[in-house]
Amino acid sequence: MYYFDHCASTPPLPEVIRTMAEVMAEHYANPSSLHRGGAEAAKLLERARAVIAGAFGTEAGEWFFTSGGTESNNLAVVGAARQYRSRGNHLITSAVEHPSVLEPFRMLEREGFRVTYLPVDGCGVVSPEAVEAALTDETTLVSVMHVNNEVGSVQPLAAIGSLLHRRPRTLFHVDGVQSIGKLPVRLREWGVDLLAASAHKVGGPRGIGLLYKREGVRLAPLMGGGGQEGGVRPGTENVPAIVAAAKAFRLAVESQKQRAGRMYRLRGKLLACVAAIPELVLNGGGSADDPAGTGGSEEKEPAAAPHIVHFSYPGMKPEVFVHMLEKHRILASTKSACSSKDDKPSAVLEAMGADRERAASGIRISFGDEHGDAELEWLCGMLGQVVKKLKPLERKMNE
């Protein structure tokens, strides 16, 4: 099979699997235990924390382990809003965030918080000017993702961080789940206070997430329990998965630049392929000649992520398209894996201004390290064949 669903989950790296198995077999003691076995497990835990901190140029004490990206985003958004409610009850986010960010904001609205959902342009990008215009003296949190999980748009975090730098009472949260290992993540430079990440998006195990919390920031815990993870996230730490995740994140960050260059080249080929099929409509930024959307400038931040191509087949049900691709040994997605089983139009595409037919027919292709020219040529060839086979059905569906 050709696996083109890396945004949903990545294949675990062989060295990550070996590390996890070794730690699980040899260091099974609870890291909170006082005996030698517990102390050895606790050392591994802190070594993993230091590895992650080193990869991002931060301090080890600023990283906390959770069960995944969803928990990290929930803890950051809800924990910050509740902790700093005495400062104000206004919060800002964008209309194209992942459900693990949007749902906590809706929950906070039910608690009496006021939330501004920022619009995006036709490529799915938030305007820093819109962020600035929405800020009030009551704003305690701005949450904007780095890379959109559906269409791959890249948000202007440097500009947003710059304007928030002048407002120390407003925290800046970033959902970095889809960007780590694909694009540089500059926490200090951007002034990020909170960041969420997930190990299984970078070749690590599932069930492990990271939460970066800048020193000095406080969060109201979502769970009660022991004092693990500084009391921010109680519960016995999953040491084997944490050690394996640290290795996956380190490898992802170390190889990011090389990976991005190779993926942008593949992305350009796929964009050209999709653009040549009249029935398909590309969504998001970039073009075949400029897949990063920088306009050729080496100084400019990319507008599109290197590993995602998204398009619509207006008039065609996306699940029909996905299943037809599968018959040709290609695995792809309709939208976010967390939302792919509902039949509603994509909220991300609707926020980008797409009509209902286009928003209800999106297909996401996301690739990874195992892909090269041969895999892209197979995919491009099959896209053309699938559209040709589905064409009669398209007419029938529209009758």
Side-chain angles (χ1 to χ4, degrees):
M1 296 299 286
Y2 294 84
Y3 182 75
F4 285 99
D5 197 15
H6 277 245
C7 280
S9 193
T10 53
L13 298 169
E15 54 267 56
V16 167
I17 295 173
R18 285 196 296 272
T19 296
M20 190 160 172
E22 288 170 8
V23 176
M24 187 178 287
E26 297 174 15
H27 300 280
Y28 43 82
N30 190 321
S32 296
S33 295
L34 295 178
H35 51 66
R36 187 169 63 187
E40 290 174 353
K43 278 184 184 176
L44 284 179
L45 199 62
E46 294 316 308
R47 194 179 303 163
R49 213 183 302 272
V51 166
I52 291 166
F56 291 96
T58 55
E59 299 296 326
E62 295 178 310
W63 291 93
F64 299 84
F65 299 111
T66 69
S67 64
T70 291
E71 186 186 344
S72 294
N73 278 326
N74 271 250
L75 180 53
V77 171
V78 178
R82 289 176 178 167
Q83 179 69 41
Y84 293 101
R85 190 164 197 173
S86 61
R87 293 182 181 177
N89 74 337
H90 179 233
L91 314 166
I92 297 173
T93 190
S94 84
V96 295
E97 299 295 315
H98 186 272
S100 65
V101 172
L102 286 177
E103 288 305 318
F105 275 107
R106 288 170 182 145
M107 186 171 72
L108 290 166
E109 282 186 293
R110 293 193 288 274
E111 294 180 15
F113 286 90
R114 187 166 62 85
V115 180
T116 298
Y117 297 93
L118 297 172
V120 294
D121 64 17
C123 292
V125 178
V126 173
S127 156
E129 290 75 20
V131 176
E132 187 165 26
L135 288 167
T136 75
D137 292 340
E138 298 287 311
T139 307
T140 57
L141 177 68
V142 173
S143 177
V144 178
M145 68 200 323
H146 191 186
V147 168
N148 182 267
N149 54 294
E150 282 190 38
V151 300
S153 52
V154 180
Q155 304 300 341
L157 298 187
I160 296 171
S162 177
L163 68 91
L164 292 180
H165 181 69
R166 303 190 294 271
R167 305 176 64 97
R169 291 168 64 85
T170 303
L171 297 179
F172 186 19
H173 165 247
V174 171
D175 175 2
V177 168
Q178 292 294 350
S179 66
I180 291 172
K182 317 301 188 303
L183 292 172
V185 175
R186 302 185 173 99
L187 296 174
R188 295 278 194 250
E189 185 180 327
W190 297 338
V192 173
D193 298 296
L194 298 156
L195 175 131
S198 179
H200 77 102
K201 308 293 188 182
V202 294
R206 290 181 196 171
I208 286 296
L210 295 180
L211 174 62
Y212 167 77
K213 182 174 75 65
R214 182 180 57 76
E215 186 178 5
V217 172
R218 290 181 295 154
L219 295 177
L222 303 187
M223 300 188 295
Q228 295 94 342
E229 298 302 292
V232 172
R233 199 273 183 182
T236 303
E237 294 94 342
N238 185 346
V239 177
I242 287 171
V243 174
K247 174 166 278 191
F249 279 112
R250 177 178 63 78
L251 294 172
V253 172
E254 286 177 352
S255 59
Q256 179 271 313
K257 187 174 181 180
Q258 180 186 20
R259 178 180 297 111
R262 193 178 61 79
M263 285 187 176
Y264 273 128
R265 187 178 62 79
L266 296 177
R267 184 174 194 269
K269 286 190 168 191
L270 186 51
L271 288 173
C273 161
V274 174
I277 302 174
E279 289 81 3
L280 305 183
V281 182
L282 283 165
N283 301 310
S287 64
D289 296 331
D290 181 21
T294 62
S297 169
E298 294 184 1
E299 305 291 325
K300 191 177 172 184
E301 294 281 344
H307 61 303
I308 301 174
V309 171
H310 194 276
F311 58 86
S312 296
Y313 185 173
M316 184 57 57
K317 291 182 178 177
E319 59 268 29
V320 174
F321 198 98
V322 165
H323 291 315
M324 185 63 84
L325 282 176
E326 190 171 354
K327 288 182 179 177
H328 293 81
R329 300 191 291 142
I330 293 169
L331 303 180
S333 277
T334 54
K335 47 187 175 181
S336 162
C338 300
S339 310
S340 62
K341 291 184 180 176
D342 69 48
D343 57 0
K344 297 177 183 173
S346 163
V348 172
L349 292 181
E350 288 187 324
M352 291 165 58
D355 60 34
R356 187 173 179 83
E357 193 175 53
R358 182 174 169 183
S361 58
I363 304 293
R364 181 183 67 185
I365 304 289
S366 52
F367 36 84
D369 290 341
E370 76 270 28
H371 298 134
D373 291 331
E375 288 77 16
L376 259 291
E377 285 174 15
W378 174 267
L379 173 61
C380 288
M382 290 306 106
L383 286 178
Q385 287 194 31
V386 165
V387 170
K388 195 176 294 183
K389 287 180 181 177
L390 291 179
K391 193 72 176 158
L393 184 58
E394 174 197 342
R395 287 196 293 272
K396 191 173 179 180
M397 290 173 69
N398 288 332
E399 284 175 355

